[in-house]
Amino acid sequence: MRQKRQKRKILRLREGILICSSIVLLIIIMSLNIGSDKPIASNNKVVAAEQSNKTESTTNIVEDEIIDNDNNTIAEHTDNDESQQQNLTVDVSDENENIHQQEDENVDETTVEQEEIDESEQTQPTNSSIATGLEVGNEINKEQIEHEKKVAYLTIDDGPYGSSKDILDILEEYNAKATFFMVEPKMREYPELVREMVRKGHGVGLHSVTHDKHQFYSSRQSLLNELSVSNETLKEITGETTPLIRTPYGSAPYMTDEYKAAVTNNGYIMWDWNVDSKDWKYRDERYVHDTIAQIEKLSEQDHAPVILLHDKTTTVNHLRELLEYLTENHYELLKLDASLQPVQF
């Protein structure tokens, strides 16, 4: 395209030169004819012929130079065009390479995006799975809340005896705590067991000296004396006292309002129970079954079970069965303390 434009320029230049030369030659001839005769005209013809030859020669030279210049220009343009063509080729190649690379990157990105979409579709929960997950989550949360609320208290009366050692071992197996309401003569008989109860983190309470309802409840002063003696003995053995008491056979119907006021005014906290295992009546696994039935009934009422047991061999023989039930049903077995609201008849 550029070569054609250059050729057109050259042709136009040539035409201009020829026109100018013709005009110059015409002016010379006219001036000679006006100022001289025929011989001179004849000479003028020769001169004109020579001048024409010179002009033509000059024109040819000029044309040759223009052509040469044009050729050089064309060559330069050709070289430049070739260089530009090469650069263009390189640029096109580079551009093509960039395009291919970009296409490859786009393909890779598309592939990655598609893989991510596929993976997202695979892991995206459906409405049914969301609903199921919410149901499971609600069940778990409900179960966790129930776990937090489900506490039971084992209370063991009338010891210590030789069976207390077995009870302590079984409780340790289940990481369970209990509260032992002890009679004073037995504390003196088994002081090491009393110390072990305290050392292992169990609760200890007072359960009288005589365990005789006629003597213990004979007067306000009689029950306070038995409680005081028991606490002094506990302090001799363990170095500490306790405010927790359980009166013989429970507070009803023996603990009158006067008696209740007397123990309260002397800093004692009286505990009864809401689950009677009847291990004093059943000397086999029946006491466990009866206890479980009562616990399940209390659970419906959202009450923590305070379970009455007795320190004797027949109770030990089936204690694991009861603890299995309690742990499988997520009860935490804790000891009683002064911060709790006591269960009373």
Side-chain angles (χ1 to χ4, degrees):
M1 193 70 181
R2 291 178 181 177
Q3 291 178 355
K4 290 180 179 180
R5 291 177 181 176
Q6 293 295 333
K7 288 180 179 180
R8 289 175 183 173
K9 289 180 181 180
I10 292 169
L11 292 175
R12 290 173 183 173
L13 184 59
R14 288 178 179 176
E15 290 175 354
I17 293 171
L18 291 175
I19 292 170
C20 292
S21 299
S22 300
I23 292 171
V24 171
L25 182 59
L26 181 60
I27 292 171
I28 293 172
I29 293 172
M30 290 176 64
S31 61
L32 290 176
N33 289 332
I34 294 171
S36 63
D37 53 11
K38 291 182 180 180
I40 295 173
S42 178
N43 290 334
N44 288 340
K45 290 181 181 180
V46 175
V47 172
E50 290 177 354
Q51 184 66 32
S52 176
N53 291 332
K54 289 180 180 181
T55 301
E56 185 176 356
S57 176
T58 301
T59 302
N60 291 334
I61 292 171
V62 172
E63 289 177 355
D64 291 337
E65 289 178 354
I66 292 172
I67 291 171
D68 291 338
N69 291 333
D70 291 340
N71 289 334
N72 291 332
T73 302
I74 292 170
E76 289 176 359
H77 284 290
T78 302
D79 293 338
N80 291 334
D81 291 339
E82 291 177 355
S83 176
Q84 291 177 356
Q85 184 67 28
Q86 291 176 355
N87 293 334
L88 183 60
T89 303
V90 172
D91 293 340
V92 170
S93 298
D94 293 340
E95 185 66 20
N96 289 335
E97 184 177 355
N98 291 334
I99 291 171
H100 288 303
Q101 184 177 359
Q102 184 66 34
E103 290 176 351
D104 293 338
E105 290 176 357
N106 291 337
V107 170
D108 293 339
E109 290 177 358
T110 302
T111 304
V112 170
E113 290 176 357
Q114 185 62 41
E115 291 176 352
E116 291 176 351
I117 291 171
D118 294 340
E119 183 178 357
S120 175
E121 290 176 350
Q122 292 175 357
T123 58
Q124 186 70 25
T126 61
N127 291 334
S128 59
S129 65
I130 291 174
T132 303
L134 290 174
E135 292 173 359
V136 172
N138 290 335
E139 288 297 324
I140 292 173
N141 291 335
K142 181 178 178 182
E143 187 176 2
Q144 289 174 343
I145 293 171
E146 290 176 352
H147 292 180
E148 293 175 359
K149 292 182 177 180
K150 294 177 74 169
V151 176
Y153 301 95
L154 299 177
T155 61
I156 303 170
D157 287 9
D158 297 349
Y161 284 98
S163 54
S164 300
K165 174 62 177 173
D166 296 328
I167 292 174
L168 289 171
D169 291 342
I170 294 172
L171 290 174
E172 189 171 14
E173 288 178 20
Y174 290 87
N175 194 28
K177 302 300 179 186
T179 302
F180 293 85
F181 288 102
M182 299 175 286
V183 294
E184 191 269 343
K186 290 300 178 180
M187 286 193 284
R188 290 191 179 277
E189 185 176 354
Y190 296 97
E192 185 54 40
L193 288 175
V194 176
R195 284 190 285 269
E196 186 173 355
M197 292 171 187
V198 174
R199 185 169 57 251
K200 290 188 174 181
H202 298 286
V204 290
L206 311 176
H207 194 41
S208 81
V209 175
T210 63
H211 203 277
D212 185 323
K213 61 184 178 181
H214 299 292
Q215 294 186 45
F216 185 84
Y217 296 110
S218 63
S219 68
R220 170 180 175 275
Q221 193 60 43
S222 64
L223 66 87
L224 289 176
N225 286 340
E226 288 201 21
L227 293 175
S228 178
V229 169
S230 298
N231 224 356
E232 289 174 1
T233 300
L234 178 64
K235 186 174 182 180
E236 289 176 9
I237 295 171
T238 65
E240 59 185 52
T241 60
T242 179
L244 306 179
I245 66 169
R246 174 171 286 165
T247 58
Y249 307 104
S251 64
Y254 309 106
M255 288 292 289
T256 64
D257 291 341
E258 180 188 358
Y259 290 176
K260 291 178 181 178
V263 297
T264 300
N265 292 335
N266 281 271
Y268 296 111
I269 302 172
M270 184 178 67
W271 278 87
D272 288 311
W273 58 87
N274 53 22
V275 175
D276 183 356
S277 69
K278 296 185 175 65
D279 60 344
W280 50 271
K281 176 181 179 181
Y282 301 121
R283 301 180 183 275
D284 51 27
E285 68 275 5
R286 285 180 294 174
Y287 90 81
V288 176
H289 301 159
D290 194 274
T291 301
I292 291 173
Q294 294 177 67
I295 291 172
E296 290 178 347
K297 186 175 181 179
L298 277 178
S299 178
E300 295 174 357
Q301 302 170 3
D302 198 24
H303 294 315
V306 179
I307 305 167
L308 171 65
L309 297 166
H310 291 86
D311 195 336
K312 56 185 182 177
T313 302
T314 53
T315 298
V316 172
N317 292 340
H318 301 282
L319 182 58
R320 283 189 177 88
E321 186 178 347
L322 175 59
L323 294 177
E324 284 288 343
Y325 166 82
L326 290 169
T327 55
E328 286 177 0
N329 285 274
H330 312 293
Y331 280 95
E332 185 178 7
L333 300 173
L334 303 178
K335 67 178 182 179
L336 300 177
D337 60 50
S339 67
L340 299 172
Q341 180 67 33
V343 172
Q344 297 178 352
F345 297 149

